Amino acid sequence: MTQQSRRLYLNEVATRDGFQNEAVFIDTDDKIALIDQLSACGYAKIEVTSFTSPRAIPALRDAEAVMHGIARAPGVVYTVLVPNVRGAERALSCKVDEVNLVMSVSESHNRANLRMSREESFGQLRDVIGAVRGSGVAINVSLSTAMGCPMEGDVPVETVLGWIDRFAGLGVNGVTLCDTTGMAHPAQVHDLCARASAAFAPLEITLHFHNTRGMALANTLAALDAGIVRFDASLGGLGGCPYAPGATGNVCTEELVHMLELDGYDTGVNLAAVLDAAARLPALIGHDVPSQILKAGRRLDLHPMPACA
Amino acid sequence: MTQQSRRLYLNEVATRDGFQNEAVFIDTDDKIALIDQLSACGYAKIEVTSFTSPRAIPALRDAEAVMHGIARAPGVVYTVLVPNVRGAERALSCKVDEVNLVMSVSESHNRANLRMSREESFGQLRDVIGAVRGSGVAINVSLSTAMGCPMEGDVPVETVLGWIDRFAGLGVNGVTLCDTTGMAHPAQVHDLCARASAAFAPLEITLHFHNTRGMALANTLAALDAGIVRFDASLGGLGGCPYAPGATGNVCTEELVHMLELDGYDTGVNLAAVLDAAARLPALIGHDVPSQILKAGRRLDLHPMPACA
């Protein structure tokens, strides 16, 4: 493999992407305590919450209270999901560092997930960008289904590059390519990342993988090989997939950090601190999490007993 | 990544490595039916059973009956695990195509798993090799803990290469490097595979990964990149790890084939046929299996319902 930059930048999404999928409401104080713990872990960015309608996502109805309650660590970018201008105004009033906008690059998924066409989404997000621009708050756009749509199947690379181009034209700071339902495979990831990086540098390109079909870490290797240095990850692997009960969701932060650190990358993230935070999750959300490292321990956590065959 | 050979050779280990870890005894007829189904899937090799003492591994006490009962498919190598000369004699009487010998490259794990020193194991396996040589039956040696020992930690590459060298000197046909408890990471795998291939070609080198810490497919990519073309895999991901309840074990065949096929490799294996076989496992063993693909479906198995965020 070619030699890549060894400094990587991780964005923790569990308290937004993970918690919004949980059936229980996690107490505001517990959210704040967890985010404060995450702030000490060394992440480049934390996606704190979502300024969506409290009716649409009641799990995150306390977005303002959480944003006001957390202690901001220097050097950490605190980002929030914002669906529309109303959400952007709420986010700006909380002095977020970044807003993260989202739409799907496949029509069917955008309609299923956001209840509007892609063009309607783009128009709405263009208005958000207009409202945020000039405030000093950074703007990132997460493009869902960038490596496949669960309803349409393959999404042409040209389609993905086309949507990046439209948002780049609006002056956003970064784009996240999301493998929303774990359809990406390594050769595809390498091709998409190489082409997006070549076409849109110095736009910050982040990769967001799901482990739905077991390939999240393999896809990460492929993205690294194509020069990507920014990755989303979710503590404990929180954030499931509604059509595949029992399947894992987002790539697990501690599994990602564990592999990257062993391979000699500098993620900035303290693995022991992240594992401490992940260990709190089952009590918070009321069920087990898909993290393998939480169960098996780190590579060099040794075991005195007779071992596997 | 560099371009590697696209033709790969898979060895299915579920009926040996998987079943020996199951609490229930799987009926001989069910084993035979499953192996016959696997024989039609396109594997290069199937590890059918183990000629160990029926007292040591009662789950595989029907080794002769299974070997005699299966219908051998042309082109498939039927291999069996053999611990000693007595086991080799039993295996030879069943006209196996290959015997697979096993020892650990770390002293503590060998003592824990095989109840003897590495030198004692080597002596015993040398006797087995002597008994099998000249019979026309191929000989493979699986080296456990080749990428780390759960009791000792890191195992020096020189130690692993040293054991390969000793067995190569005895004229074995192949060596399997086993990541017995999922401690391997991609950079390590690449280094070990490159060095072993360079030093011991044309010895057939197979990689055996566990997904204990989520890295099995990422490690596979690293091994491919170093030129490896032979891999063990276990249907459904069968074969757990006693010190990490809930952690996954062997790399899951259908997850491995799914990724490799998407990335353009020719595994010889028919994914749909393997999924049909994997779907039978829960009824056979009485519990769920860790396979993600069984839960989520293949990449392009489309879903009509509203999807993930």
Side-chain angles (χ1 to χ4, degrees):
Chain A
M1 301 179 195
T2 54
Q3 200 64 11
Q4 308 99 26
S5 165
R6 308 313 284 185
R7 177 63 171 107
L8 307 180
Y9 303 88
L10 299 196
N11 175 29
E12 175 56 59
V13 304
T15 61
R16 198 285 294 174
D17 198 0
F19 283 180
Q20 77 172 33
N21 283 302
E22 293 301 324
V24 298
F25 179 79
I26 292 143
D27 285 345
T28 306
D29 287 349
D30 287 333
K31 287 173 179 149
I32 292 169
L34 179 64
I35 294 161
D36 285 349
Q37 189 174 1
L38 294 171
S39 287
C41 287
Y43 292 100
K45 193 186 286 192
I46 297 173
E47 189 166 69
V48 175
T49 183
S50 177
F51 284 89
T52 36
S53 153
R55 284 182 308 280
I57 304 182
L60 302 182
R61 63 178 183 255
D62 54 1
E64 275 89 350
V66 170
M67 271 310 301
H68 287 305
I70 60 174
R72 307 246 197 131
V76 179
V77 172
Y78 294 89
T79 188
V80 297
L81 192 142
V82 158
N84 50 33
V85 171
R86 172 77 191 107
E89 290 166 352
R90 291 170 59 201
L92 292 178
S93 78
C94 293
K95 301 193 187 315
V96 300
D97 298 315
E98 181 189 273
V99 292
N100 183 32
L101 319 183
V102 63
M103 65 170 282
S104 306
V105 296
S106 63
E107 186 72 12
S108 308
H109 190 270
N110 202 70
R111 288 185 181 275
N113 198 39
L114 301 175
R115 317 260 167 224
M116 64 184 95
S117 72
R118 287 176 297 178
E119 284 303 330
E120 288 170 314
S121 276
F122 183 74
Q124 188 164 305
L125 297 183
R126 189 176 48 206
D127 292 345
V128 173
I129 292 166
V132 173
R133 190 189 284 133
S135 67
V137 170
I139 303 170
N140 187 76
V141 179
S142 286
L143 296 176
S144 298
T145 64
M147 281 151 269
C149 169
M151 284 159 277
E152 296 179 14
D154 274 318
V155 175
V157 174
E158 291 69 23
T159 302
V160 183
L161 297 177
W163 286 104
I164 301 175
D165 191 50
R166 291 181 75 178
F167 282 107
L170 296 178
V172 303
N173 304 84
V175 164
T176 301
L177 302 177
C178 300
D179 179 26
T180 308
T181 63
M183 293 174 68
H185 58 95
Q188 174 196 28
V189 168
H190 192 277
D191 176 61
L192 174 62
C193 290
R195 291 173 67 177
S197 295
F200 298 107
L203 190 72
E204 291 186 354
I205 296 177
T206 301
L207 268 287
H208 175 109
F209 290 121
H210 279 225
N211 200 37
T212 319
R213 293 169 178 88
M215 293 184 281
L217 294 184
N219 286 331
T220 301
L221 283 192
L224 288 165
D225 196 62
I228 298 297
V229 297
R230 297 170 202 283
F231 295 92
D232 284 359
S234 181
L235 194 72
L238 280 200
C241 183
Y243 70 73
T248 56
N250 286 286
V251 63
C252 171
T253 303
E254 55 270 33
E255 287 180 18
L256 180 69
V257 170
H258 179 259
M259 179 185 80
L260 293 172
E261 188 173 298
L262 288 170
D263 265 17
Y265 290 96
D266 172 14
T267 66
V269 174
N270 182 312
L271 180 57
V274 164
L275 283 167
D276 283 347
R280 294 179 55 180
L281 286 177
L284 277 183
I285 61 179
H287 61 84
D288 196 16
V289 292
S291 168
Q292 291 287 317
I293 302 285
L294 264 192
K295 297 184 183 77
R298 290 170 291 189
R299 175 173 190 271
L300 291 180
D301 290 343
L302 302 185
H303 300 266
M305 60 280 267
C308 317
Chain B
M1 303 180 192
T2 53
Q3 200 63 10
Q4 308 101 24
S5 165
R6 309 312 284 186
R7 178 64 171 105
L8 307 180
Y9 303 88
L10 299 196
N11 176 27
E12 175 57 58
V13 304
T15 61
R16 198 284 294 172
D17 198 359
F19 283 180
Q20 78 172 33
N21 284 302
E22 294 300 323
V24 298
F25 178 79
I26 292 142
D27 285 344
T28 306
D29 287 348
D30 287 334
K31 285 173 179 151
I32 292 169
L34 179 65
I35 294 161
D36 284 348
Q37 189 173 2
L38 294 172
S39 287
C41 288
Y43 292 100
K45 194 186 283 191
I46 297 173
E47 189 167 69
V48 174
T49 185
S50 178
F51 285 89
T52 37
S53 153
R55 285 182 308 283
I57 304 183
L60 302 182
R61 63 178 184 256
D62 54 2
E64 275 90 349
V66 170
M67 270 311 299
H68 286 305
I70 60 173
R72 308 246 195 132
V76 179
V77 172
Y78 294 89
T79 187
V80 296
L81 192 142
V82 159
N84 49 34
V85 171
R86 172 78 191 106
E89 290 164 352
R90 292 170 59 202
L92 291 178
S93 78
C94 293
K95 303 193 187 311
V96 301
D97 299 314
E98 180 189 272
V99 293
N100 183 31
L101 319 183
V102 62
M103 67 169 281
S104 307
V105 295
S106 63
E107 186 72 11
S108 308
H109 189 271
N110 202 69
R111 289 184 180 275
N113 198 41
L114 301 176
R115 317 260 167 226
M116 63 184 94
S117 72
R118 288 177 296 178
E119 284 303 330
E120 288 169 315
S121 276
F122 182 75
Q124 188 164 305
L125 298 183
R126 189 177 47 208
D127 292 343
V128 173
I129 293 166
V132 172
R133 191 188 284 133
S135 68
V137 169
I139 303 170
N140 186 76
V141 179
S142 285
L143 296 176
S144 299
T145 65
M147 282 151 270
C149 170
M151 284 159 277
E152 295 179 14
D154 275 318
V155 175
V157 174
E158 290 70 23
T159 302
V160 183
L161 297 178
W163 286 103
I164 300 175
D165 190 50
R166 291 181 74 178
F167 283 106
L170 297 179
V172 303
N173 304 82
V175 164
T176 302
L177 303 176
C178 302
D179 180 26
T180 309
T181 63
M183 294 173 67
H185 58 95
Q188 174 198 25
V189 169
H190 193 276
D191 176 60
L192 174 60
C193 291
R195 291 173 68 179
S197 296
F200 299 106
L203 190 72
E204 292 187 353
I205 297 177
T206 301
L207 268 287
H208 175 109
F209 291 120
H210 279 226
N211 200 36
T212 320
R213 291 168 179 88
M215 292 183 282
L217 295 184
N219 286 331
T220 301
L221 283 193
L224 287 166
D225 197 62
I228 298 297
V229 298
R230 296 170 202 282
F231 295 92
D232 283 359
S234 181
L235 194 71
L238 281 201
C241 183
Y243 70 72
T248 56
N250 286 286
V251 63
C252 171
T253 302
E254 55 269 33
E255 287 180 20
L256 180 69
V257 171
H258 180 259
M259 180 184 81
L260 293 171
E261 187 174 296
L262 288 170
D263 266 17
Y265 290 96
D266 172 14
T267 65
V269 174
N270 182 312
L271 180 56
V274 164
L275 282 167
D276 283 346
R280 295 178 56 179
L281 286 177
L284 277 183
I285 61 179
H287 61 83
D288 196 16
V289 293
S291 169
Q292 292 286 317
I293 302 284
L294 263 193
K295 297 184 183 77
R298 289 170 292 188
R299 176 174 188 270
L300 291 180
D301 290 343
L302 303 185
H303 300 268
M305 60 281 266
C308 316

